[in-house]
Amino acid sequence: MDGPLLSTGEDMGSFENTASNAETEADDIIQENSDNDRVEEEPKPGMKFATDHELMAYYMRYAKQQGFGVITQRTKREANGRVKYLTIGCARGGKYHPSHSNISRPRPTIKTDCKARINAHLVEGSWVVTTVEIGHNHSTVSPQKSRLFRSHKCLDEYSQRMLDLNDRAARQLRLGKGGGEALTEYFKRMRLQNDGFVYVIDVDEELMLRNVFWADARSRAAYEYFGDVITFDTTYLTNRYGMPFAPFVGVNHHGQSILLGAGLISSEDKSTFVWLFRAWLECMDGRTPKAIITGQDRAMKSAIAVVFPHTRHRYCLWHIMRKLPEKLGSHAAFNAGLKTTIQNALYDSQTCGEFEEKWGQFIKKYDLGENAWLQGLYNEVVLGTSLP
């Protein structure tokens, strides 16, 4: 590949007026995120909130520390569409009503008709909590595990802003002939706005953009603190632009995803991944992560072995578990305990010993000792070897 062009600056500050305030707003977001450490009091009738957003944010924090997920169960609106009544409750509230008629194979559900909820009315411009139900009819989890509930999984606002700005930048740039020059000029404008921005561009002989990587100062600083384990994925925006968007993502001390750099690449072969990983590593001052999590891509695996030879490589468990119905769906007990048991072993084990014990019980109970895919899954989780 041609030699990369390296320059410095910071975030997407020159891209529209909203981007110029990204640093200031990000500081506000970090301060807001510190609220996650605050212990929320139990909801009580009479509590007041300025907006429904503040009400939802409070109950989400309370639910997270208590160990349950949250959904909006009911809303009422005025004639002009303005919300005037709101019910927020446990995600396991309500009853499951199957949309199919096959009663011999009922679908698993988390619904238990849990009554834990709060009701609030809009009264003279403020949201007032009217009724409260605290008790749950099911067990809750620890605050450390509650971040895995769908309602508590979220990209922090700064990283979301960066992804949105990257999205808009990609849409406006014409990545054809001369696209490399246009992108270089664009990054130069960003460099003038902020210090610490780093980018690497790879173009071919006709100045057609081939690959690009960039990271702002905040991403580089975050990597200093939260760079032990990173994830890398190339599925975002793949189809929209024909160039896979490849973000490097970490997790901060609040359990939130943080952006640690991103790239646009022209292909997903070994040489391209090697180029991108080296560009990212140079940006991070040569400090390699202790572990990297990716999908099951052979080219990616080969590139990691070249650039990060001492980094532990693991496959994303979400991608692996998507194959569970394909690999074990024909088992008679798949929807009668098998699926729940394996998920419990993989997701809820806190120590290696606990996992080994649960895994052994799972294999013995369902007589799966000869299953090659499960043996491969075990080897991937414990040893880091490839799945069949």
Side-chain angles (χ1 to χ4, degrees):
M1 290 190 175
D2 296 337
L5 305 175
L6 178 64
S7 187
T8 58
E10 193 178 350
D11 65 24
M12 312 294 279
S14 63
F15 189 82
E16 297 189 356
N17 295 332
T18 55
S20 64
N21 297 319
E23 285 292 324
T24 302
E25 294 185 12
D27 291 336
D28 295 338
I29 292 164
I30 290 175
Q31 179 62 43
E32 180 180 327
N33 286 341
S34 67
D35 291 342
N36 291 332
D37 294 328
R38 185 177 68 224
V39 177
E40 294 292 351
E41 64 175 309
E42 204 171 75
K44 299 179 180 65
M47 296 176 75
K48 291 185 178 181
F49 299 87
T51 65
D52 57 342
H53 175 76
E54 289 185 11
L55 171 64
M56 175 64 81
Y58 154 75
Y59 196 69
M60 292 275 283
R61 291 192 299 268
Y62 167 75
K64 189 173 183 180
Q65 73 186 26
Q66 294 297 319
F68 64 94
V70 174
I71 58 171
T72 300
Q73 297 180 349
R74 186 183 180 193
T75 59
K76 282 187 178 180
R77 298 179 181 272
E78 297 175 341
N80 59 6
R82 182 184 181 188
V83 178
K84 66 175 183 179
Y85 177 86
L86 186 62
T87 300
I88 311 169
C90 176
R92 302 187 73 169
K95 296 180 180 179
Y96 173 61
H97 300 286
S99 58
H100 62 90
S101 58
N102 188 356
I103 60 175
S104 64
R105 298 192 65 181
R107 293 180 180 176
T109 177
I110 65 168
K111 297 296 185 181
T112 63
D113 200 22
C114 180
K115 302 299 183 184
R117 63 171 65 97
I118 61 173
N119 297 312
H121 284 270
L122 185 61
V123 180
E124 297 180 351
S126 297
W127 283 90
V128 180
V129 176
T130 54
T131 58
V132 175
E133 291 288 343
I134 298 296
H136 296 264
N137 63 358
H138 57 88
S139 60
T140 56
V141 302
S142 66
Q144 291 74 24
K145 289 183 181 179
S146 65
R147 66 182 179 84
L148 300 176
F149 285 117
R150 179 181 298 178
S151 57
H152 302 316
K153 286 182 179 180
C154 61
L155 196 67
D156 69 87
E157 292 184 34
Y158 176 75
S159 296
Q160 185 62 59
R161 175 181 296 280
M162 290 301 299
L163 289 175
D164 290 341
L165 291 172
N166 295 339
D167 181 12
R168 282 187 280 171
R171 271 187 282 148
Q172 290 212 352
L173 290 168
R174 294 182 179 180
L175 302 179
K177 187 173 182 179
E181 290 181 338
L183 190 59
T184 302
E185 291 302 317
Y186 176 73
F187 280 146
K188 284 180 179 178
R189 293 198 301 272
M190 291 192 292
R191 178 192 59 189
L192 295 175
Q193 296 290 325
N194 301 281
D195 295 327
F197 186 92
V198 171
Y199 66 90
V200 186
I201 293 178
D202 178 48
V203 297
D204 62 19
E205 295 79 5
E206 298 180 355
L207 291 182
M208 295 280 286
L209 183 137
R210 190 156 49 190
N211 305 297
V212 58
F213 166 79
W214 67 95
D216 68 356
R218 187 171 297 277
S219 294
R220 299 172 71 194
Y223 181 70
E224 290 292 321
Y225 294 97
F226 311 114
D228 289 346
V229 180
I230 66 169
T231 64
F232 178 75
D233 190 18
T234 57
T235 58
Y236 186 76
L237 296 181
T238 298
N239 295 325
R240 183 181 295 182
Y241 308 118
M243 294 184 71
F245 178 66
F248 295 83
V249 178
V251 178
N252 67 14
H253 57 304
H254 294 300
Q256 298 169 323
S257 298
I258 51 174
L259 194 62
L260 301 175
L264 286 170
I265 53 179
S266 58
S267 63
E268 297 181 80
D269 55 21
K270 177 182 175 181
S271 61
T272 300
F273 286 132
V274 167
W275 179 92
L276 182 61
F277 291 156
R278 284 176 173 166
W280 180 81
L281 188 59
E282 182 179 355
C283 169
M284 299 304 172
D285 299 321
R287 179 192 163 199
T288 58
K290 293 180 180 178
I292 183 169
I293 301 171
T294 71
Q296 294 173 258
D297 185 282
R298 292 184 181 277
M300 206 178 291
K301 179 181 179 181
S302 299
I304 289 171
V306 171
V307 183
F308 307 120
H310 304 297
T311 295
R312 181 166 296 193
H313 180 208
R314 289 289 188 267
Y315 290 142
C316 173
L317 193 56
W318 181 82
H319 286 93
I320 296 172
M321 294 301 282
R322 288 182 66 188
K323 296 184 178 180
L324 195 62
E326 172 192 342
K327 300 296 184 179
L328 297 177
S330 60
H331 195 286
F334 182 74
N335 287 317
L338 185 153
K339 182 179 179 181
T340 303
T341 303
I342 190 174
Q343 289 174 335
N344 177 261
L346 291 169
Y347 295 127
D348 295 336
S349 297
Q350 299 299 306
T351 66
C352 293
E354 184 181 357
F355 169 76
E356 293 282 3
E357 180 181 358
K358 289 181 177 180
W359 186 266
Q361 293 172 350
F362 163 70
I363 294 295
K364 182 177 180 180
K365 180 177 180 179
Y366 296 104
D367 192 23
L368 293 168
E370 302 299 321
N371 187 286
W373 185 78
L374 282 176
Q375 184 60 49
L377 175 57
Y378 174 86
N379 291 340
E380 165 64 19
V381 172
V382 177
L383 306 175
T385 55
S386 300
L387 282 151

